[in-house]
Amino acid sequence: MIALNHTHDASTRSWVETANAAGTDFPIQNLPYAMFRRIGSPEPFRGGVAIGDQVLDLAALAAGSHVDGLALDAARAAALPALNDFFALGTSAWQALRHAVFALLQSDVPAATVQNLRKCLVSQAEVEYTVPARIGDYTDFYTSIDHALNITRLFNPEGDVTPNFRWIPTAYHGRVSTIGVSGQRFHRPMGQTLAPGAKAPTYHACARLDYELELGVWIGEGNAAGEPIPLERAEEHIFGICLLNDWSARDIQFWEMAPLGPFLAKNFATTISPWIVTMEALAPYRQAWTRPANEPQPLDYLESQANRDSGAIDISLEVWLESDKARENKSGPSRLSGTSFRHQYWSVAQMVAHHTMGGCKLNSGDLFGSGTISGPGPGEAGAIIELARAGQSPVALANGEQRGFLEDGDAVLLRGWCEKPGATRIGFGESRGTVLPAIGPGRPSQPR
């Protein structure tokens, strides 16, 4: 685990004034990474660091004389059109660049330096983003026991999770080609479903479209094939975390998941936030990872004192929905739920260790989904199937509309942040995705 250091000092301020504003996602204590360029420009995408309402252009920084040594090597790698080479440099390089940027953005930097550095800033209002790395593989986990129990008990009030859930972090391999950055717009998927009592399935547009509130875990350094990553070293292989929406076609999913895992129900879209918050920035918000004494305890390869002491991360999360009607009336989105990542049954380190224990090779830029994040209390569900009880109890929106499942035109917004007494609040920005009408028999072929 990363120890607290001067970059976590809550008293530090930046000469970028918007970074000092109360409630900002991007104070100097955060410094997350994204891949950006100016909107509509032919310039290449390159790495940037968020500070207040600005982006620090790492290509411009690397071209100047403000950083040297390992920090310069890291800046040059991060200035490329994808962050894979930067990820592959490892923890020493990640920390060298983060600490160098922190030093340059502090409020006590000489005026001449500030004047030069202002040339490296671009307003976030003027940029567009892309997926920050070339994703070779995407694995989506299933690690919230509250979510798993909620789903099970929708159909069997006395039911329990499958026996393996309490012993292994289960997962499926998802589709990389349809992962998009915040602002993604996708068509409602077509697929087969089997109606209750029917003898044959029918082909039509998904009628039970859902979102899943998740986090994305970005792999930094990979491992060699056949060489498992031990739990004690797992976080050295994690660069950082973003928001992730694992869109799900529930009616298609229930028919096709017998006997294998999700397929068409999950492969049509996944929406991530552009900003990756580093594991170093998250250090102040670590908490003890616990397992109730009456539950099965992890096997030895998934057990360590360090994971017990600080394997959990207290990341507050919310889901908001903006309907077509709300957009037209400018009434704003409605908050659907809120929870924390600290409730997750398995930690991010356990996900990495288990993924590689059979000899699997991870590569820089691989992406994990955390699985739906639901908490134990009312209003903490991370999917609308839970909130609306499979459509039986529709959720009321602020403008009077109701939702059992998502409708065409709905935009789902995920937001996340960390805060605690004595530490500076840091945020993740936003993941936003919008549902367009299906393309298929009897369906419009153009977005409305």
Side-chain angles (χ1 to χ4, degrees):
M1 306 294 176
I2 297 171
L4 296 183
N5 56 54
H6 67 283
T7 67
H8 305 113
D9 184 351
S11 67
T12 304
R13 294 291 179 267
S14 173
W15 53 263
V16 180
E17 288 300 329
T18 54
N20 306 321
T24 180
D25 275 356
F26 306 127
I28 194 172
Q29 292 82 3
N30 193 351
L31 305 179
Y33 290 80
M35 192 60 52
F36 82 101
R37 69 180 178 190
R38 289 176 177 83
I39 296 172
S41 75
E43 62 192 25
F45 282 101
R46 67 273 194 192
V49 171
I51 180 70
D53 62 357
Q54 303 291 305
V55 181
L56 178 67
D57 185 337
L58 292 175
L61 183 70
S65 58
H66 298 293
V67 293
D68 56 19
L70 186 56
L72 178 57
D73 292 340
R76 287 170 172 165
L80 297 174
L83 291 175
N84 299 67
D85 289 356
F86 174 50
F87 289 169
L89 291 177
T91 55
S92 295
W94 308 339
Q95 188 171 78
L97 181 55
R98 173 181 158 79
H99 287 205
V101 169
F102 184 89
L104 291 170
L105 293 174
Q106 289 186 82
S107 58
D108 58 359
V109 170
T113 302
V114 170
Q115 185 175 358
N116 286 330
L117 286 170
R118 286 194 187 279
K119 301 172 186 175
C120 300
L121 295 181
V122 183
S123 171
Q124 290 178 27
E126 299 174 4
V127 308
E128 59 185 354
Y129 304 99
T130 190
V131 176
R134 297 182 303 276
I135 305 171
D137 285 292
Y138 165 50
T139 301
D140 198 17
F141 281 86
Y142 187 43
T143 62
S144 168
I145 196 165
D146 296 299
H147 172 68
L149 284 170
N150 288 343
I151 295 296
T152 299
R153 290 172 181 171
L154 282 174
F155 307 99
N156 179 4
E158 303 302 319
D160 195 8
V161 297
T162 55
N164 65 348
F165 189 95
R166 291 183 169 90
W167 291 100
I168 58 174
T170 57
Y172 71 91
H173 289 283
R175 184 73 181 172
V176 173
S177 63
T178 46
I179 296 175
V181 77
S182 183
Q184 182 179 28
R185 295 161 63 84
F186 63 91
H187 293 279
R188 179 179 296 271
M190 302 290 296
Q192 287 190 21
T193 67
L194 185 69
K199 294 183 179 180
T202 56
Y203 173 70
H204 56 85
C206 164
R208 295 193 158 202
L209 186 62
D210 201 355
Y211 59 83
E212 289 189 352
L213 168 64
E214 302 194 21
L215 292 176
V217 179
W218 289 94
I219 296 301
E221 277 191 287
N223 63 304
E227 295 184 7
I229 298 172
L231 184 64
E232 295 81 358
R233 304 289 301 275
E235 289 202 11
E236 297 174 22
H237 294 263
I238 301 173
F239 175 75
I241 291 177
C242 69
L243 304 172
L244 185 149
N245 189 339
D246 176 31
W247 303 93
S248 301
R250 298 300 187 189
D251 43 356
I252 298 170
Q253 181 180 1
F254 294 151
W255 169 234
E256 71 182 7
M257 280 185 62
L260 299 180
F263 182 34
L264 300 186
K266 299 277 193 176
N267 73 359
F268 57 94
T270 302
T271 308
I272 59 174
S273 57
W275 295 106
I276 306 173
V277 177
T278 65
M279 296 301 286
E280 184 172 19
L282 292 168
Y285 313 100
R286 305 305 295 260
Q287 293 190 352
W289 177 88
T290 59
R291 178 64 59 84
N294 62 343
E295 296 266 321
Q297 301 305 302
L299 299 182
D300 286 347
Y301 78 98
L302 292 174
E303 182 69 278
S304 75
Q305 191 58 51
N307 190 67
R308 289 276 179 176
D309 291 343
S310 56
I313 314 174
D314 187 12
I315 302 174
S316 297
L317 298 159
E318 288 184 339
V319 181
W320 296 70
L321 189 150
E322 183 182 58
S323 67
D324 250 347
K325 182 178 178 181
R327 230 170 0 259
E328 291 169 4
N329 297 338
K330 299 183 179 178
S331 57
S334 301
R335 183 182 183 277
L336 299 186
S337 66
T339 188
S340 171
F341 188 57
R342 70 177 184 273
H343 300 305
Q344 220 70 352
Y345 198 75
W346 296 100
S347 71
V348 290
Q350 288 168 322
M351 295 179 208
V352 171
H354 183 69
H355 201 306
T356 64
M357 60 85 63
C360 177
K361 173 179 170 57
L362 300 180
N363 294 309
S364 298
D366 283 355
L367 181 65
F368 291 0
S370 65
T372 305
I373 304 166
S374 297
E380 290 193 75
I384 205 167
I385 190 173
E386 299 172 69
L387 290 172
R389 296 193 54 76
Q392 300 172 41
S393 303
V395 177
L397 305 185
N399 64 356
E401 293 181 271
Q402 292 187 328
R403 289 293 184 274
F405 288 94
L406 299 178
E407 297 185 5
D408 293 347
D410 285 350
V412 175
L413 294 71
L414 308 184
R415 296 171 180 165
W417 69 93
C418 300
E419 59 184 344
K420 60 177 274 191
T424 304
R425 178 194 184 279
I426 64 172
F428 288 73
E430 181 179 275
S431 168
R432 179 189 183 104
T434 304
V435 182
L436 303 177
I439 299 176
R443 297 283 174 174
S445 60
Q446 297 295 324
R448 67 183 184 187

